[in-house]
């Protein structure tokens, strides 16, 4: 009897050790799997780059501000229109889950160099400056997207950005499409990320001015510009 119980005890011990060994190993394996999963998650996120659910970081620059009114017509000032459009775009993009940085959110002047420094510090995907055009010839109307590349820097990307946003911007309200143009502008030169300057109609043209004085038109324009930004970023071949 005593020998039997010893044997039983010994077998129980061996069985227990075996169980602990197998179980312990499994725990180790499980730990390995979960740590692999954690390590792998950023890669999974990156492969999501092109999906429409990807959230972006966007810098919006409402042109002029403070003592710099920009162009004007009567009591209509470019600096107020650009701030309105940028704020409408900001709230639309934020409602889509994107992160938006405004270079100004009130009526103040931000020096061009500071706009460039801010833009480059945000680690954003794209920079969009909002302006309104004017010309002595009152017949000129429509929307233009200006881009610039320093010695070919991001040239094809910047052209694609300008084309995509411009074609979206003119979608509603009968805006004339004036296409894109390369122009050496400080804010576009300073920006290390793809950037574009949108000239949103001519304040000197009767029809455009009528559009610019209508908040619903400005909201639609802001949404269309935003859709252009997202379209460009979703199609980014990087
Ligand atoms: Zn301007």
């Amino acid at each position: 009897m005593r020998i039997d119980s010893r044997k039983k005890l010994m077998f129980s011990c061996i069985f227990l050790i075996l169980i602990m060994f197998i179980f312990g190993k499994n725990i180790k394996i499980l730990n390995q799997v979960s740590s692999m999963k954690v390590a792998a998650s950023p890669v999974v996120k990156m492969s999501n780059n092109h999906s429409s659910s990807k959230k972006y970081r966007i810098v919006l620059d409402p042109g002029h501000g403070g003592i710099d009114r920009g162009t004007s017509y009567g009591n209509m000032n470019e600096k107020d229109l650009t701030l309105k459009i940028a704020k409408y775009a900001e709230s639309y993009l934020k409602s889509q889950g994107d992160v938006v940085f405004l270079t100004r959110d009130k009526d103040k002047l931000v020096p061009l160099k500071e706009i460039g420094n801010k833009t480059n510090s945000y680690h954003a995907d794209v920079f969009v400056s909002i302006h309104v055009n004017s010309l002595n010839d009152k017949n000129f109307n429509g929307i233009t997207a200006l881009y610039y590349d320093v010695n070919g820097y991001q040239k094809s990307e910047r052209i694609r950005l300008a084309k995509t946003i411009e074609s979206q911007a003119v979608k509603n309200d009968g805006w004339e499409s004036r296409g894109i143009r390369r122009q050496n502008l400080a804010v576009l030169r300073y920006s290390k990320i793809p950037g574009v300057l949108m000239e949103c109609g001519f304040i000197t043209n009767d029809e455009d001015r009528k559009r610019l004085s209508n908040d619903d038109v400005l909201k639609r324009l802001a949404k269309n510009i935003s859709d252009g930004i997202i379209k460009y970023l979703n199609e980014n071949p990087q």
Side-chain angles (χ1 to χ4, degrees):
M1 280 289 280
R2 277 189 71 186
I3 293 166
D4 265 11
S5 352
R6 269 190 189 175
K7 270 187 179 173
K8 269 185 187 170
L9 193 71
M10 234 172 74
F11 276 125
S12 302
C13 280
I14 289 167
F15 186 68
L16 203 71
I17 287 164
L18 263 172
I19 290 229
M20 279 171 75
F21 180 74
I22 292 164
F23 198 61
K25 219 175 179 183
N26 276 348
I27 286 172
K28 270 187 188 167
I29 289 164
L30 277 171
N31 279 344
Q32 268 176 4
V33 168
S34 62
S35 66
M36 272 166 68
K37 266 186 186 165
V38 170
S41 63
V43 178
V44 172
K45 229 178 169 183
M46 277 176 74
S47 70
N48 241 354
N49 231 2
H50 299 239
S51 88
S52 57
S53 61
K54 173 89 165 78
K55 304 306 172 202
Y56 298 108
R57 296 165 69 84
I58 295 147
V59 184
L60 297 177
D61 171 47
H64 312 280
I67 53 161
D68 173 16
R69 296 189 299 173
T71 189
S72 60
Y73 194 100
N75 54 10
M76 191 186 253
N77 295 319
E78 180 182 1
K79 65 171 185 176
D80 302 321
L81 294 169
T82 60
L83 188 57
K84 268 190 184 183
I85 297 167
K87 280 190 170 176
Y88 287 143
E90 179 199 26
S91 65
Y92 174 72
L93 287 165
K94 279 186 172 172
S95 77
Q96 306 291 300
D98 296 301
V99 180
V100 180
F101 305 93
L102 286 183
T103 54
R104 70 176 175 102
D105 60 359
K106 51 178 172 287
D107 186 17
K108 65 165 185 180
L109 180 64
V110 184
L112 296 177
K113 186 70 189 161
E114 197 182 318
I115 291 172
N117 290 340
K118 277 185 177 184
T119 300
N120 294 331
S121 71
Y122 293 140
H123 303 290
D125 299 297
V126 81
F127 168 80
V128 179
S129 190
I130 308 285
H131 286 255
V132 172
N133 227 333
S134 67
L135 208 65
N136 285 336
D137 187 341
K138 293 180 183 347
N139 293 316
F140 272 79
N141 65 342
I143 293 176
T144 317
L146 306 177
Y147 75 94
Y148 189 71
D149 58 277
V150 182
N151 300 321
Y153 176 70
Q154 295 177 338
K155 186 175 182 177
S156 57
E157 276 178 64
R158 289 176 181 230
I159 289 175
R160 193 166 59 81
L161 174 65
K163 277 185 180 169
T164 309
I165 297 187
E166 200 272 344
S167 63
Q168 292 292 310
V170 297
K171 243 170 41 181
N172 300 110
D173 301 298
W175 290 106
E176 177 82 14
S177 168
R178 302 197 72 85
I180 70 165
R181 208 173 69 229
R182 185 175 188 265
Q183 196 168 319
N184 189 345
L185 298 162
V187 282
L188 298 179
R189 238 179 14 245
Y190 294 147
S191 175
K192 288 187 167 60
I193 54 173
V196 67
L197 189 146
M198 296 302 297
E199 290 283 10
C200 302
F202 284 75
I203 206 168
T204 39
N205 176 266
D206 290 346
E207 290 299 312
D208 275 5
R209 198 167 55 254
K210 206 182 285 174
R211 285 184 261 267
L212 291 167
S213 61
N214 183 336
D215 269 7
D216 290 333
V217 173
L218 297 184
K219 273 179 203 165
R220 274 191 293 274
L221 178 60
K223 181 192 177 291
N224 290 339
I225 289 173
S226 304
D227 286 342
I229 295 170
I230 299 306
K231 190 165 186 265
Y232 162 80
L233 290 169
N234 281 342
E235 289 170 356
N236 207 333
Q238 271 181 5

